[in-house]
């Protein structure tokens, strides 16, 4: 059986590693909702998946709009928005690979 100091050290290191993971932009995103937590794993991957789902919906709805002449303008706008989302895909991938991290102010005093 561990004594209180060993249990405290274990809990503290577990808390510290969890805080470190939450500070890392590529790690899980935790949202607190009252007494519950919503944990989003790999948030850039999730952003990419959501982008692709919305992109597919925009192009599908835009295509259907071309069946009726009065809906063609909406279809064109959906295609334009979808095209912009195609540009967003590599931006999300680039953001996942590169991060700007705030340095502590003491590190700036060189």
């Amino acid at each position: 059986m561990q004594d209180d100091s060993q249990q405290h050290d274990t809990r503290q290191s577990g808390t510290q590693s969890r805080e470190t993971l939450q500070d890392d932009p590529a790690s899980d995103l935790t949202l607190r909702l009252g007494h519950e937590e919503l944990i989003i794993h790999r948030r850039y991957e999730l952003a990419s998946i959501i982008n692709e789902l919305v992109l597919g919906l925009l192009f599908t709805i835009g295509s259907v709009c071309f069946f009726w002449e009065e809906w063609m303008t909406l279809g064109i706008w959906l295609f334009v928005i979808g095209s912009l989302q195609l540009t967003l895909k590599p931006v999300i991938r680039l953001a996942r690979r590169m991060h700007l991290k705030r340095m502590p102010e003491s590190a700036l005093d060189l």
Side-chain angles (χ1 to χ4, degrees):
M1 184 170 176
Q2 293 179 334
D3 65 4
D4 287 337
S5 64
Q6 287 176 330
Q7 287 177 352
H8 178 71
D9 290 342
T10 304
R11 274 186 261 128
Q12 187 176 20
S13 65
T15 304
Q16 186 178 21
S17 65
R18 184 174 179 182
E19 288 172 359
T20 303
L21 285 175
Q22 288 178 346
D23 291 342
D24 181 9
S27 70
D28 299 344
L29 175 65
T30 303
L31 303 172
R32 297 185 195 279
L33 308 168
H35 295 292
E36 305 292 326
E37 285 185 344
L38 173 64
I39 300 173
I40 300 172
H41 300 284
R42 298 180 181 167
R43 58 184 164 181
Y44 288 112
E45 185 176 344
L46 178 65
S48 182
I49 292 168
I50 290 171
N51 181 58
E52 289 178 18
L53 283 171
V54 172
L55 176 64
L57 287 172
L58 288 175
F59 275 105
T60 300
I61 295 169
S63 298
V64 171
C65 287
F66 275 88
F67 286 126
W68 298 278
E69 194 170 325
E70 61 271 8
W71 289 93
M72 281 190 187
T73 302
L74 176 61
I76 290 168
W77 278 108
L78 291 175
F79 283 166
V80 169
I81 294 168
S83 297
L84 291 172
Q85 279 193 270
L86 282 173
T87 304
L88 188 59
K89 285 179 68 169
V91 171
I92 293 170
R93 280 197 335 256
L94 183 62
R96 185 177 73 211
R97 301 211 189 304
M98 292 177 27
H99 299 285
L100 290 176
K101 189 170 185 176
R102 183 175 300 271
M103 300 293 287
E105 289 192 27
S106 61
L108 297 176
D109 300 330
L110 296 177

